[in-house]
Amino acid sequence: QLALRVADALSALIAHRALQLSESRLVDAQRLARIGYWERDLDAGVITLSEQTCHILGVPPFNGPQSLEECNQLWLSHIHADDRERVAQAMDNTIRLGLPYDVEYRLINLAGETLFLRSIGRDIPRGPNEARRWFGTLQDNTPLRRMEQELRHSEARFQAYMNHTTDSITVHDEIGRIVEVNQQICDSLGYRREEFLGRFPYFYDPSLTALHLFSIGRRMDAGEVVSFRT
């Protein structure tokens, strides 16, 4: 009997430690993925936010459920004005009509930073006497969206340079096919842009053979800036 009690105690201790390890890994995974969760008890009118969700929103961690109405008002007040009506409508459609809740929006956190968030939620299946609950995730896509914005700005600057320079410019992929040209080379050689794309430069310049292109590519791969006449 003593051995059985010791074995039971050890089993409980091992299970507790395994649970703690699992919870720790879950917290680490949420932090690395910049994703948190929330839960709404629609009948009781309360909301529970995970620690990572509070971190994303820039608010102190909640010590248990909070008033759903107060949280909604605070949350909606920080959503970007251009997105607020769309988010409120999506929430209303989910609560009243049971439509899927999946919305991306901008939020101004308490530090004044603009965040790009995506929230997904769904009803939790319930029994006849159970409260209606709504569970969802909140993901911070800010680094990705800022990178996309910078890429668009960079592409716009590149296109502006391409279209206003007096030099003829072609852009090639790794095997030498033309993937972009500027207007100057179209005007100089008399081809339309569509006639350049996907083709190799020897279609308009026979001296730029496949062997020549391969040699140029090898030199550029080695870090050399290649200059040649043709």
Side-chain angles (χ1 to χ4, degrees):
Q1 290 177 352
L2 178 61
L4 289 174
R5 288 198 296 270
V6 171
D8 288 342
L10 288 175
S11 296
L13 179 61
I14 292 172
H16 178 66
R17 288 183 175 176
L19 178 60
Q20 286 182 319
L21 179 60
S22 177
E23 290 177 344
S24 175
R25 287 174 175 168
L26 177 61
V27 170
D28 289 340
Q30 290 182 47
R31 185 176 65 252
L32 292 173
R34 306 176 72 91
I35 188 169
Y37 68 85
W38 45 263
E39 184 174 335
R40 295 168 177 260
D41 186 329
L42 300 179
D43 291 344
V46 296
I47 186 171
T48 302
L49 303 181
S50 72
E51 182 178 344
Q52 182 61 23
T53 298
C54 293
H55 177 73
I56 291 173
L57 298 177
V59 299
F62 286 4
N63 297 318
Q66 302 290 313
S67 166
L68 182 58
E69 183 177 354
E70 291 180 2
C71 286
N72 277 346
Q73 290 177 353
L74 179 63
W75 171 61
L76 286 172
S77 70
H78 284 278
I79 292 178
H80 193 286
D82 293 341
D83 300 339
R84 194 173 299 149
E85 182 178 353
R86 176 171 54 84
V87 174
Q89 185 63 53
M91 186 194 309
D92 185 61
N93 288 342
T94 299
I95 294 175
R96 290 192 306 105
L97 306 177
L99 298 179
Y101 181 76
D102 186 347
V103 61
E104 188 163 351
Y105 55 91
R106 291 162 293 175
L107 181 138
I108 314 299
N109 67 11
L110 297 181
E113 302 169 321
T114 299
L115 306 180
F116 294 82
L117 307 179
R118 183 186 181 189
S119 191
I120 302 174
R122 65 176 180 85
D123 272 331
I124 299 176
R126 55 177 177 154
N129 298 319
E130 293 179 340
R132 185 185 178 191
R133 293 188 301 157
W134 200 21
F135 181 83
T137 59
L138 183 73
Q139 185 167 20
D140 183 5
N141 290 332
T142 305
L144 175 62
R145 295 293 173 257
R146 287 177 178 168
M147 189 181 303
E148 290 175 348
Q149 285 183 339
E150 181 56 35
L151 179 59
R152 286 194 294 269
H153 294 160
S154 177
E155 289 176 344
R157 290 192 295 268
F158 174 71
Q159 287 298 331
Y161 170 75
M162 286 274 286
N163 292 328
H164 290 87
T165 181
T166 56
D167 294 322
S168 294
I169 298 177
T170 58
V171 182
H172 306 259
D173 65 12
E174 66 277 3
I175 63 172
R177 281 179 306 210
I178 299 172
V179 296
E180 188 56 88
V181 297
N182 71 342
Q183 188 60 42
Q184 179 62 34
I185 195 170
C186 296
D187 296 340
S188 297
L189 300 184
Y191 294 101
R192 293 178 292 107
R193 175 177 177 272
E194 292 73 19
E195 294 179 277
F196 283 102
L197 301 184
R199 304 181 72 172
F200 291 91
Y202 45 73
F203 97 90
Y204 66 83
D205 188 341
S207 69
L208 293 174
T209 63
L211 183 61
H212 192 186
L213 292 176
F214 177 75
S215 174
I216 292 173
R218 290 284 300 272
R219 292 168 64 187
M220 289 193 297
D221 286 341
E224 183 179 348
V225 177
V226 182
S227 176
F228 58 93
R229 293 181 179 275
T230 177

